[in-house]
């Protein structure tokens, strides 16, 4: 019944049958079919480009796509890729001293755009920074779970064994003997564990890590890493004056590990990093192993039906700007740009009104919160001034398949750091053609992706000549999503950043105390829904905030009961999904989002029931 389970009641006709295909792990009403349409359109665009190869200007992006396509189709490419990677592996093996090893690793880092030992990049996480700084971030950990928290888990041995099984399979597939492989992987995991003993827990890294040091000050804490050598290798992104370190204890632990007795393990680690980073380009067997890895650790797998599909997805990932722009020309209208832009502006004003009404907030905290809203950047569909990264790609008929990929990765790495340094919206944090949106704290920006706009259009069968005729359907879907992303600016994580994206505390002690108490209420509330309220706190706040802003907008428009009904029903439809038991279990224990049913029932019960309840929008909390 509607009053028992709103989610199931509204979505019954879709949930009453199995929509999950045999080779899939999930089905989404608003996502699955539209993503298939997007994929077909992407492939049409690529087909059109490839069908005209030989007619393009030599330096055009389309001609670069053609050259890359030809290098992929080289019948000897798998052997050539391995031969080229072996060149870098031999450089590592031939090092005789720690100093030789460090310089070789730094050279390979730059050449292959990876981070062995240290991962220099542009960052501006800590407080009171007016600009981003050259940063030495954490050592790479296999699958990004072998941090200090990972090694303290009760399930560590079980998880490590699963991880090592994959690692061993990868190295054996590359050509190492079974005996050598087990020795290498055991040594590498011992190194991980040793360094992790001194590392800050990832959940505490923002609060306890990230400090600025002068070169002299930081060098005095290190015995083996030569900072001047690192700066020399990264002189294009180094910002003069200071170095930002996200975990000094870990950096010191890495430095202490750089001694002659550990040289063999350090070589094995560097070789393993090179292989894992470029394994996906080594052929079908490596691809299948990566699929199995994703299935084991994520409960999901991406399987391409054929070699063409793999190639087209690779072309899309590397030439995303060009293909997304062609997609936008066909499927993104001026009316859609207008409607979603106006909706964002209206929700920002609504948020500002709510902030002004909050009685528990001090005036100083209100001003800081209002400043975040007033300086909020946003992208709708595609950026107004899209910089085509592909223009800088060094792709040549004389290059091998892997050389082309390496050169592309170097440009992407350089462009990422350049845009980050300039404080620009990082447009490609998420694939622009997926049904999604996101808030980025470092640039104080929300991004409504083209894939989301397209998915709503085709799934809801919208008349895009006048989207105001679909206002309430879109308010319950896109409107809540926009409010959700705006709320992230002031949720349990976003509230730690100021309006310029700096990690700085702008709260009074009393306000912070009140805010933490409200967060405890939210955790308790969602614990009642048989989930982990602490794990999903930030996303739950954003969900509550998104619906709260929509309710304010509806009230402002004197919305009729039939249109309120539309808002709630389309909101429930937006989260209609089916997942396999394995995927549900993985998400419950590892996802920061609540299960889809809870994102409907818990939110609507909190905001819209007849009982005395509250609306909670980031720092905005009151009874109705």
């Amino acid at each position: 019944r509607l009053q028992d389970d709103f989610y199931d009641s509204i979505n019954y006709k879709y949930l009453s049958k199995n929509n999950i295909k045999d080779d899939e792990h999930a089905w989404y009403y608003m996502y699955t079919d539209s993503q298939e349409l997007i994929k077909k359109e992407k492939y049409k665009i690529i087909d059109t480009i490839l069908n005209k190869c030989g007619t393009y200007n030599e330096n055009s992006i389309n001609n670069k796509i053609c050259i890359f396509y030809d290098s992929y189709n080289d019948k000897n490419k798998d052997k050539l890729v391995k031969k080229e990677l072996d060149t870098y592996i031999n450089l590592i093996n031939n090092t005789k001293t720690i100093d030789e090893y460090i310089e070789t690793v730094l050279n390979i880092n730059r050449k292959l755009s990876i981070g062995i030992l240290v991962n220099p990049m542009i960052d501006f996480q800590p407080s009171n920074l007016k600009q981003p700084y050259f940063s030495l971030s954490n050592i790479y950990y296999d699958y990004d779970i072998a941090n200090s928290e990972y090694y303290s888990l009760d399930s560590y041995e079980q998880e490590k064994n699963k991880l090592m099984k994959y690692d061993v399979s990868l190295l054996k597939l590359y050509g190492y003997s079974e005996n050598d492989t087990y020795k290498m992987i055991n040594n590498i995991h011992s190194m991980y564990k040793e360094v992790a003993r001194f590392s800050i827990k990832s959940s505490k890294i923002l609060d306890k890590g990230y400090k600025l040091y002068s070169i002299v000050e930081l060098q005095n804490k290190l015995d083996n890493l030569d900072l001047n050598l690192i700066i020399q290798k990264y002189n294009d992104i180094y910002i003069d004056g200071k170095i930002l370190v996200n975990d000094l204890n870990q950096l010191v632990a890495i430095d202490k590990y750089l001694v002659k007795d550990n040289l063999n393990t350090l070589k094995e680690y560097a070789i393993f990093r090179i292989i894992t980073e470029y394994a996906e380009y080594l052929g079908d067997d490596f691809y299948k192993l990566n699929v199995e890895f994703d299935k084991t650790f994520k409960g999901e797998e991406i399987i391409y039906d054929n070699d063409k599909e793999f190639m087209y997805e690779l072309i899309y990932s590397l030439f995303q700007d060009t293909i997304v722009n062609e997609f936008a020309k066909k499927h993104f209208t001026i009316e859609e740009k207008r409607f979603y832009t106006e909706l964002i502006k209206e929700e920002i004003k609504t948020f500002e009104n709510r902030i002004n009404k909050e009685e528990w907030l001090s005036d100083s905290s209100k001003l800081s919160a209002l400043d975040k809203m007033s300086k909020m950047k946003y992208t709708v569909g595609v950026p107004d001034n899209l910089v085509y990264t592909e223009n800088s790609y060094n792709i040549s008929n004389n290059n091998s398949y892997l050389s082309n990929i390496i050169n592309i990765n170097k440009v992407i790495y350089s462009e990422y750091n350049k845009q980050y340094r300039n404080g620009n919206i990082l447009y490609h944090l998420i694939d622009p053609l997926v049904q999604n949106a996101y808030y980025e704290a470092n640039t104080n920006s929300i991004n409504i992706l083209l894939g989301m706009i397209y998915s709503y259009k085709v799934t809801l069968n919208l008349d895009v000549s006048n989207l105001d005729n679909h206002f309430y359907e879109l308010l319950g879907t896109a409107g809540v999503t926009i409010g959700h992303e705006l709320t992230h600016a002031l949720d349990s994580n976003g509230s730690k950043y100021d309006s310029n994206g700096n990690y700085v505390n702008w709260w009074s002690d009393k306000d912070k105390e009140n805010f933490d108490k409200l967060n405890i209420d939210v955790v308790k509330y969602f614990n009642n829904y048989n989930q982990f309220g602490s794990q999903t706190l930030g996303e739950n706040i954003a969900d509550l905030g998104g619906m709260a802003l929509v309710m304010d907008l509806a009230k402002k428009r004197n919305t009729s009961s039939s249109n309120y009904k539309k808002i709630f029903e389309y909101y429930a439809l937006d989260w209609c999904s089916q997942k396999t038991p394995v995927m549900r279990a993985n998400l419950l224990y590892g996802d920061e989002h609540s299960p889809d049913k809870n994102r409907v029932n818990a939110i609507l019960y909190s905001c819209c029931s007849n009982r005395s309840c509250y609306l909670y929008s980031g720092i905005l909390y009151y009874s109705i």
Side-chain angles (χ1 to χ4, degrees):
R1 296 185 308 167
L2 190 69
Q3 60 267 44
D4 297 330
D5 191 327
F6 190 82
Y7 174 87
D8 279 352
S9 178
I10 296 302
N11 297 319
Y12 175 77
K13 64 181 177 180
Y14 305 109
L15 300 176
S16 58
K17 63 178 181 178
N18 179 31
N19 296 290
I20 305 175
K21 295 179 182 178
D22 291 340
D23 60 347
E24 295 179 346
H25 290 265
W27 168 87
Y28 302 88
Y29 175 78
M30 288 285 189
Y31 178 86
T32 302
D33 290 345
S34 62
Q35 283 301 125
E36 187 63 29
L37 291 174
I38 287 173
K39 183 172 79 170
K40 288 178 180 178
E41 186 59 37
K42 286 193 306 187
Y43 291 3
K44 283 182 184 178
I45 293 168
I46 296 171
D47 275 334
T48 300
I49 294 171
L50 295 179
N51 287 337
K52 295 181 181 180
C53 286
T55 66
Y56 300 116
N57 178 281
E58 182 180 355
N59 295 318
S60 69
I61 294 174
N62 285 355
N63 192 54
K64 292 178 181 181
I65 292 174
C66 290
I67 294 172
F68 181 77
Y69 180 76
D70 287 341
S71 72
Y72 177 84
N73 285 325
D74 187 334
K75 63 181 180 180
N76 296 311
K77 71 174 173 57
D78 293 350
K79 292 179 181 178
L80 291 172
V81 169
K82 188 175 185 302
K83 184 178 179 180
E84 203 162 342
L85 288 184
D86 282 341
T87 301
Y88 298 104
I89 289 171
N90 290 335
L91 288 173
I92 295 292
N93 277 328
N94 289 335
T95 57
K96 306 297 183 185
T97 66
I98 288 294
D99 287 342
E100 283 182 19
Y101 172 82
I102 293 172
E103 179 152 17
T104 301
V105 160
L106 289 174
N107 287 334
I108 292 174
N109 276 357
R110 286 314 320 252
K111 182 68 176 178
L112 300 183
S113 304
I114 56 180
I116 305 171
L117 294 180
V118 291
N119 186 28
M121 59 184 291
I122 297 296
D123 203 351
F124 60 142
Q125 291 284 5
S127 62
N128 300 322
L129 293 187
K130 303 303 180 185
Q131 62 179 26
Y133 277 86
F134 180 76
S135 169
L136 297 181
S137 60
N138 292 53
I139 187 172
Y140 173 87
Y141 283 119
D142 197 7
Y143 189 49
D144 199 28
I145 58 176
N147 53 43
S148 57
E149 285 172 301
Y150 171 70
Y151 283 102
S152 65
L153 294 175
D154 294 335
S155 59
Y156 159 64
E157 288 296 335
Q158 180 182 352
E159 291 298 309
K160 186 189 79 168
N161 289 337
K162 287 196 298 183
L163 198 58
M164 289 181 69
K165 181 180 178 182
Y166 165 78
D167 296 342
V168 166
S169 299
L170 179 64
L171 290 181
K172 284 172 63 178
L173 193 56
Y174 193 82
Y176 287 90
S177 69
E178 186 162 348
N179 187 48
D180 287 345
T181 295
Y182 275 100
K183 286 181 179 178
M184 286 177 68
I185 297 304
N186 272 304
N187 289 339
I188 292 167
H189 278 263
S190 295
M191 173 186 167
Y192 287 162
K193 191 169 184 177
E194 175 64 19
V195 173
R197 286 197 307 123
F198 303 95
S199 304
I200 298 172
K201 290 184 177 181
S202 59
S203 59
K204 303 292 185 183
I205 196 74
L206 286 172
D207 294 317
K208 294 188 176 181
Y210 282 106
K211 298 291 189 298
L212 273 173
Y213 299 90
S214 68
I215 296 174
V216 173
E217 181 184 13
L218 185 58
Q219 190 65 73
N220 286 337
K221 300 177 184 296
L222 306 173
D223 297 321
N224 301 303
L225 277 172
D226 183 349
L227 295 179
N228 286 316
L229 180 62
I230 295 174
I231 291 169
Q232 176 189 328
K233 303 296 183 184
Y234 288 86
N235 60 4
D236 56 325
I237 65 170
Y238 173 67
I239 298 175
D240 188 33
K242 294 180 180 293
I243 294 180
L244 182 61
V245 178
N246 70 342
D247 186 347
L248 179 63
N249 290 343
Q250 186 184 83
L251 185 63
V252 170
I254 294 168
D255 180 74
K256 290 186 181 302
Y257 200 87
L258 291 168
V259 294
K260 185 178 180 180
D261 288 347
N262 295 328
L263 183 57
N264 183 60
T265 298
L266 287 164
K267 289 181 181 182
E268 292 170 336
Y269 161 69
I271 292 166
F272 179 68
R273 282 287 288 113
I274 293 168
I275 294 172
T276 52
E277 189 72 23
Y278 283 90
E280 64 181 301
Y281 309 115
L282 283 163
D284 290 343
D285 290 339
F286 288 90
Y287 166 67
K288 291 173 184 176
L289 185 60
N290 279 341
V291 169
E292 185 61 32
F293 177 78
D294 286 341
K295 182 178 178 180
T296 301
F297 287 94
K298 301 178 185 177
E300 60 185 34
E301 54 190 328
I302 300 174
I303 300 175
Y304 298 122
D305 295 332
N306 49 55
D307 190 54
K308 176 184 175 180
E309 187 175 358
F310 175 83
M311 178 55 191
Y312 276 34
E313 289 297 331
L314 181 59
I315 288 176
Y316 172 68
S317 69
L318 299 175
F319 296 89
Q320 207 172 79
D321 294 342
T322 297
I323 296 167
V324 168
N325 188 56
E326 287 300 312
F327 187 97
K329 287 178 182 178
K330 293 183 178 182
H331 301 292
F332 185 46
T333 66
I334 294 173
E335 168 64 4
E336 286 174 304
K337 183 84 168 183
R338 177 203 67 82
F339 178 86
Y340 287 100
T341 300
E342 288 184 1
L343 187 55
I344 289 172
K345 290 178 179 178
E346 194 170 357
E347 292 204 40
I348 289 175
K349 288 181 181 178
T350 303
F351 213 139
E352 290 171 342
N353 290 335
R354 290 176 66 84
I355 291 170
N356 280 317
K357 291 178 181 177
E358 288 310 311
E359 296 181 358
W360 65 273
L361 271 176
S362 67
D363 289 342
S364 62
S365 293
K366 280 186 181 181
L367 287 174
S368 295
L370 290 168
D371 190 41
K372 288 203 76 171
M373 287 298 113
S374 68
K375 292 180 179 177
M376 180 71 65
K377 302 174 186 175
Y378 50 84
T379 295
V380 175
V382 291
D384 293 328
N385 299 304
L386 180 61
V387 177
Y388 284 87
T389 306
E390 294 99 289
N391 282 322
S392 302
Y393 286 176
N394 178 19
I395 296 177
S396 166
N397 285 312
N398 298 322
N399 290 344
S400 68
Y401 166 61
L402 184 62
S403 291
N404 283 327
I405 288 173
I406 289 170
N407 289 337
I408 288 171
N409 285 342
K410 285 171 68 176
V411 173
I412 292 172
Y413 174 86
S414 176
E415 186 63 27
Y416 176 93
N417 283 287
K418 176 183 174 182
Q419 296 301 324
Y420 210 58
R421 176 186 289 178
N422 295 334
N424 294 337
I425 295 173
L426 299 178
Y427 178 55
H428 294 314
L429 287 180
I430 298 178
D431 178 356
L433 291 182
V434 299
Q435 207 269 15
N436 213 332
Y438 65 94
Y439 171 76
E440 191 199 356
N442 291 135
T443 54
N444 191 31
S445 65
I446 64 168
N447 303 271
I448 311 305
L449 300 181
L450 182 57
M452 188 185 91
I453 295 170
Y454 178 81
S455 293
Y456 286 142
K457 173 167 56 182
V458 298
T459 306
L460 302 179
N461 194 27
L462 302 177
D463 173 12
V464 293
S465 65
N466 188 353
L467 288 178
D468 290 329
N469 292 334
H470 303 281
F471 182 78
Y472 291 102
E473 295 100 306
L474 287 172
L475 195 59
T477 52
V480 178
T481 298
I482 290 169
H484 173 107
E485 302 307 333
L486 287 173
T487 304
H488 272 314
L490 298 170
D491 69 7
S492 53
N493 180 61
S495 61
K496 298 174 182 178
Y497 296 80
D498 68 10
S499 60
N500 296 314
N502 293 319
Y503 188 74
V504 56
N505 179 25
W506 46 268
W507 294 78
S508 71
D509 291 342
K510 184 64 176 176
D511 288 342
K512 188 65 171 62
E513 181 183 341
N514 288 333
F515 180 61
D516 290 341
K517 288 178 181 177
L518 300 181
N519 286 340
I520 291 171
D521 288 344
V522 176
V523 171
K524 289 179 180 177
Y525 176 70
F526 280 89
N527 282 343
N528 293 328
Y529 283 82
N530 298 317
Q531 67 175 74
F532 307 112
S534 296
Q535 175 182 298
T536 56
L537 175 61
E539 294 297 331
N540 292 336
I541 290 173
D543 282 345
L544 288 162
M547 183 56 71
L549 291 174
V550 163
M551 289 295 95
D552 277 7
L553 280 178
K555 183 178 180 181
K556 180 182 177 182
R557 288 175 175 245
N558 295 317
T559 297
S560 66
S561 58
S562 62
N563 282 328
Y564 271 113
K565 184 171 180 286
K566 268 188 184 178
I567 293 171
F568 302 146
E569 288 182 353
Y570 277 89
Y571 177 67
L573 196 60
D574 205 10
W575 294 113
C576 179
S577 70
Q578 293 173 333
K579 298 179 178 70
T580 62
V582 171
M583 188 171 186
R584 284 201 306 270
N586 276 283
L587 290 174
L588 183 63
Y589 286 94
D591 193 6
E592 68 270 23
H593 301 85
S594 292
D596 292 336
K597 179 186 283 196
N598 293 358
R599 296 187 78 166
V600 174
N601 290 345
I603 300 304
L604 293 182
Y605 185 70
S606 172
C607 295
C608 310
S609 71
N610 291 324
R611 67 190 178 90
S612 176
C613 63
Y614 61 77
L615 299 182
Y616 184 89
S617 175
I619 62 169
L620 315 176
Y621 173 102
Y622 61 77
S623 294
I624 60 171

